[in-house]
Amino acid sequence: MWTRAAKPAHSGRHAAPADRRAGAGAAVMLPSKDCHPSWLTQRQASPEGGRAMPERTPTMLAKLIAVAVAAASTTPLFAASFATLDGTAPLVIAHRGASGYLPEHTLGAYELAIQLGADIVEPDVLLTADGEAIMMHDTTLTRTTDIEARFAPRNGGYAVADFTLAEIKTLTVDPTGTAATSYPGFTPSMADPYKVPTFAEFLAYVRDYNNTNRTRIGVYPESKIPATTSQNTKIVDLMQAYGFTAADQNSYLQTFDHLAARQLADLQAARGMTVPVAALGAAVAMGSGFGVFDFVNGTLSPLADLATFAGGVGVALASSDLNADFVSAAHAVGLEVHGWTFNIADPIAAADQYGSFIGMGLDGLFTNYTDLAVAAVARAASTPVPLPAGLPLLLGGLGVMATLTARRTRRA
Ligand code: G3P
Ligand code: CA
């Protein structure tokens, strides 16, 4: 099974901005082997028929560098780095679990997502009538559960906030979209995998999975709107109770309300927690810079302002201004960029979409099809970048140059 341990330590994503930029490996174009210089062989014979003397230092240095660079183009040793904030592969975030295959927001869907290779599992969180945190995207229970067959409407509908946890626990989650009630070859480990989980049950499941398998699967809860103080506090308290407290656990908090996002950061600070917060919205150009549009408050948050409390931004893939310049601007102030939602089921069409956004430097990919995102990241990682292979040669060349220079100095 693929585990997060196969990737570089994630803690580097939360280093100081300057360090992050330094750590972000950029692809480098180098001369091909067809450009290999012929000067080295030409100078093997001296006019006197004896041993050739070294050329003057600057020219020699330049040629040694050229050899190293040219050789490097034919001997790639490292896999590609990425244009992410820290140069590591973008995180695969299972959006509502493997929601393209199984009923969303269920423990079964999260278990499948982890088995398919997700780095992070993402739930939306809302409070029930009795103040319990449950996993649900919609503010009503109608789209994803069988509540209409079990209960009469309340206050004209089926709002989550109008039903108790005990009532919601009687429901079954139905598959939506391309999802089904089973997935080939997958047997959920839990007895009742397609019920509405509490947020606490979800956290316990991921914590226990990590402890058992020595993995570092992260969680990425979203405080759904209305992201009230009581809801935000409940989420942070539960994160703390289940041990998701630090910036190096692949975990994040998120919300569309940027005032609530700031509150999530403040609530954590009061508890000594450092899980990065992502402000959600649309990527927007503003003057010579960029910001994220806050759909809840109808305001535009400049990236520099968000960077004072957030660790990242979560932006709609359809944002008109989501491009490499936006991602670079976010990285420049230390913000990761996570894009939502990759929802193409066709592998070929999906591959194009992933490739495009990975090329921009996205740090995280919210996906309904975990396996397709994992495959796209693996493809991108398999593209060789030759410069690292040339570095030993370059250093060797510089060593030769230093030796020759020392000899000339002694003869002079
Ligand atoms: O949290 C990122 C993404 O999930 C936001 O969209 O509506 O699916 O929660 P939504
Ligand atoms: Ca969400």
Side-chain angles (χ1 to χ4, degrees):
M1 182 187 303
W2 188 96
T3 69
R4 180 63 183 161
K7 297 178 73 173
H10 183 63
S11 55
R13 287 179 183 272
H14 306 295
D19 294 335
R20 294 171 181 169
R21 286 194 296 277
V28 176
M29 298 303 293
L30 294 171
S32 73
K33 61 183 178 183
D34 296 334
C35 299
H36 194 291
S38 58
W39 64 273
L40 187 61
T41 51
Q42 288 172 350
R43 79 176 182 84
Q44 295 306 306
S46 71
E48 299 79 25
R51 183 174 174 277
M53 291 297 291
E55 296 178 17
R56 297 184 68 83
T57 301
T59 306
M60 173 65 88
L61 179 61
K63 289 178 177 178
L64 284 167
I65 292 172
V67 168
V69 165
S73 69
T74 64
T75 55
L77 294 178
F78 291 178
S81 57
F82 291 85
T84 51
L85 186 57
D86 67 358
T88 64
L91 295 162
V92 174
I93 306 161
H95 180 247
R96 312 181 196 177
S99 55
Y101 299 124
L102 290 172
E104 68 178 61
H105 282 114
T106 61
L107 293 183
Y110 290 109
E111 182 170 46
L112 176 60
I114 292 170
Q115 291 194 10
L116 292 177
D119 297 306
I120 297 174
V121 282
E122 190 252 6
D124 301 315
V125 178
L126 282 170
L127 296 185
T128 63
D130 47 346
E132 297 296 331
I134 64 160
M135 314 267 282
M136 187 64 56
H137 174 271
D138 301 4
T139 54
T140 70
L141 296 154
T142 47
R143 180 180 64 87
T144 58
T145 77
D146 58 352
I147 192 164
E148 289 172 293
R150 294 179 172 273
F151 293 92
R154 294 176 189 168
N155 300 315
Y158 293 95
V160 171
D162 288 335
F163 290 82
T164 65
L165 177 61
E167 290 169 331
I168 290 171
K169 276 293 184 185
T170 68
L171 306 177
T172 295
V173 183
D174 297 322
T176 59
T178 57
T181 53
S182 64
Y183 182 84
F186 171 68
T187 303
S189 64
M190 59 286 300
D192 222 346
Y194 304 122
K195 294 292 189 181
V196 178
T198 64
F199 183 43
E201 290 167 341
F202 165 82
L203 292 173
Y205 172 76
V206 179
R207 177 201 60 189
D208 293 349
Y209 182 93
N210 282 334
N211 289 341
T212 300
N213 297 283
R214 299 189 176 188
T215 50
R216 198 165 48 142
I217 305 299
V219 298
Y220 203 144
E222 177 185 346
S223 186
K224 269 295 170 199
I225 305 303
T228 58
T229 296
S230 57
Q231 182 168 287
N232 292 339
T233 303
K234 187 89 175 178
I235 289 171
V236 172
D237 282 346
L238 287 167
M239 289 283 280
Q240 183 177 34
Y242 286 88
F244 294 92
T245 59
D248 62 352
Q249 292 176 292
N250 285 340
S251 293
Y252 299 81
L253 293 165
Q254 54 167 335
T255 185
F256 276 100
D257 180 339
H258 295 187
L259 299 176
R262 188 181 290 271
Q263 183 179 57
L264 287 168
D266 291 343
L267 289 166
Q268 286 198 89
R271 291 159 176 76
M273 296 167 61
T274 56
V275 177
V277 174
L280 304 178
V284 176
M286 45 187 302
S288 60
F290 289 94
V292 176
F293 187 73
D294 175 341
F295 296 112
V296 178
N297 298 296
T299 53
L300 183 56
S301 303
L303 290 176
D305 289 357
L306 294 173
T308 62
F309 69 89
V313 295
V315 291
L317 297 182
S319 303
S320 57
D321 295 323
L322 177 53
N323 51 41
D325 289 340
F326 175 89
V327 176
S328 294
H331 288 175
V333 294
L335 292 170
E336 294 182 34
V337 181
H338 300 166
W340 46 269
T341 298
F342 290 87
N343 190 30
I344 297 176
D346 174 67
I348 294 174
D352 282 347
Q353 186 188 34
Y354 286 114
S356 166
F357 283 100
I358 290 172
M360 281 181 203
L362 284 197
D363 304 277
L365 316 169
F366 285 91
T367 179
N368 293 342
Y369 303 94
T370 300
D371 53 339
L372 300 186
V374 169
V377 172
R379 267 194 309 277
S382 71
T383 305
V385 173
L387 181 59
L391 286 178
L393 294 170
L394 179 59
L395 293 174
L398 291 173
V400 169
M401 188 65 241
T403 302
L404 295 175
T405 301
R407 285 180 187 168
R408 292 175 64 217
T409 302
R410 281 198 298 272
R411 285 175 183 157

Coordinates of all heavy atoms in Angstrom, one line a residue, residues 95-96 122 124 137 222 224 254 256 280 340-341 366, ligand 1:
H95 N -11.5 14.5 -1.4 CA -12.6 15.5 -1.1 C -13.9 14.7 -0.8 O -14.4 13.9 -1.6 CB -12.8 16.3 -2.4 CG -13.9 17.2 -2.4 ND1 -15.1 17.1 -3.2 CD2 -14.1 18.4 -1.7 CE1 -15.9 18.1 -3.0 NE2 -15.3 18.9 -2.1
R96 N -14.3 14.8 0.5 CA -15.4 14.1 1.0 C -15.1 12.5 1.0 O -16.1 11.7 0.9 CB -16.7 14.4 0.3 CG -17.0 15.9 0.1 CD -18.3 16.1 -0.6 NE -18.3 17.5 -1.1 CZ -19.3 18.0 -1.8 NH1 -20.4 17.3 -2.1 NH2 -19.3 19.3 -2.2
E122 N -10.7 14.7 3.5 CA -11.3 16.0 3.8 C -12.8 15.8 4.1 O -13.6 15.2 3.4 CB -11.3 16.9 2.5 CG -11.7 18.3 2.7 CD -13.1 18.7 2.1 OE1 -13.7 17.8 1.5 OE2 -13.4 19.8 2.1
D124 N -16.5 18.0 5.5 CA -17.2 19.2 5.9 C -17.8 18.9 7.2 O -18.3 17.8 7.5 CB -18.2 19.5 4.8 CG -17.6 19.8 3.5 OD1 -16.5 20.4 3.4 OD2 -18.1 19.2 2.5
H137 N -21.9 17.9 4.0 CA -21.6 19.1 3.2 C -22.8 20.1 3.2 O -22.7 21.3 3.5 CB -21.3 18.7 1.7 CG -21.2 19.9 0.8 ND1 -22.3 20.4 0.1 CD2 -20.1 20.6 0.4 CE1 -21.9 21.4 -0.6 NE2 -20.6 21.6 -0.4
E222 N -13.5 21.2 7.1 CA -14.0 22.5 6.7 C -15.1 22.9 7.7 O -16.1 22.2 7.8 CB -14.5 22.5 5.3 CG -15.1 23.8 4.9 CD -15.7 23.8 3.5 OE1 -15.5 22.9 2.7 OE2 -16.5 24.8 3.2
K224 N -18.2 24.5 7.9 CA -19.2 24.9 6.9 C -20.0 26.1 7.4 O -20.1 26.4 8.6 CB -20.2 23.7 6.6 CG -19.8 22.8 5.5 CD -19.7 23.5 4.2 CE -19.1 22.7 3.1 NZ -18.7 23.6 1.9
Q254 N -10.1 24.7 7.3 CA -10.5 25.5 6.2 C -11.9 26.0 6.4 O -12.8 25.4 7.1 CB -10.5 24.7 4.9 CG -11.3 23.4 5.0 CD -11.5 22.7 3.7 OE1 -11.5 23.3 2.7 NE2 -11.8 21.4 3.8
F256 N -14.9 28.9 4.2 CA -15.1 30.0 3.2 C -15.2 31.4 3.8 O -15.1 32.4 3.1 CB -16.4 29.7 2.4 CG -16.2 28.7 1.3 CD1 -16.6 27.4 1.4 CD2 -15.7 29.1 0.0 CE1 -16.4 26.5 0.4 CE2 -15.6 28.3 -1.0 CZ -15.9 26.9 -0.9
L280 N -10.8 29.8 2.0 CA -11.4 29.4 0.7 C -12.0 30.5 -0.1 O -12.4 31.5 0.5 CB -12.5 28.3 1.0 CG -12.0 27.1 1.8 CD1 -13.3 26.1 2.0 CD2 -10.9 26.3 1.1
W340 N -9.7 23.3 -5.8 CA -10.9 22.4 -5.7 C -11.8 22.7 -6.8 O -11.9 23.8 -7.3 CB -11.6 22.5 -4.3 CG -11.9 24.0 -3.9 CD1 -11.1 24.8 -3.1 CD2 -13.0 24.8 -4.2 NE1 -11.7 26.0 -2.9 CE2 -12.9 26.0 -3.6 CE3 -14.2 24.6 -5.0 CZ2 -13.8 27.1 -3.7 CZ3 -15.1 25.6 -5.1 CH2 -14.9 26.8 -4.4
T341 N -12.5 21.7 -7.3 CA -12.4 20.3 -7.0 C -12.2 19.5 -8.3 O -12.9 19.8 -9.3 CB -13.7 19.8 -6.3 OG1 -13.9 20.4 -5.1 CG2 -13.6 18.2 -6.1
F366 N -7.7 18.9 -4.3 CA -8.9 18.3 -3.8 C -9.6 17.5 -4.9 O -9.9 18.0 -6.0 CB -9.9 19.4 -3.4 CG -9.6 20.2 -2.1 CD1 -8.9 21.3 -2.2 CD2 -10.1 19.7 -0.9 CE1 -8.6 22.0 -1.0 CE2 -9.9 20.4 0.3 CZ -9.1 21.6 0.2
Ligands
G3P1 O1 -13.1 22.6 0.8 C1 -12.8 22.7 -0.5 C2 -14.0 22.4 -1.2 O2 -14.5 21.2 -0.6 C3 -15.0 23.4 -1.2 O3 -16.1 23.1 -1.8 O4 -18.5 22.9 -1.4 O5 -17.2 20.9 -1.8 O6 -17.0 22.0 0.3 P1 -17.2 22.2 -1.1

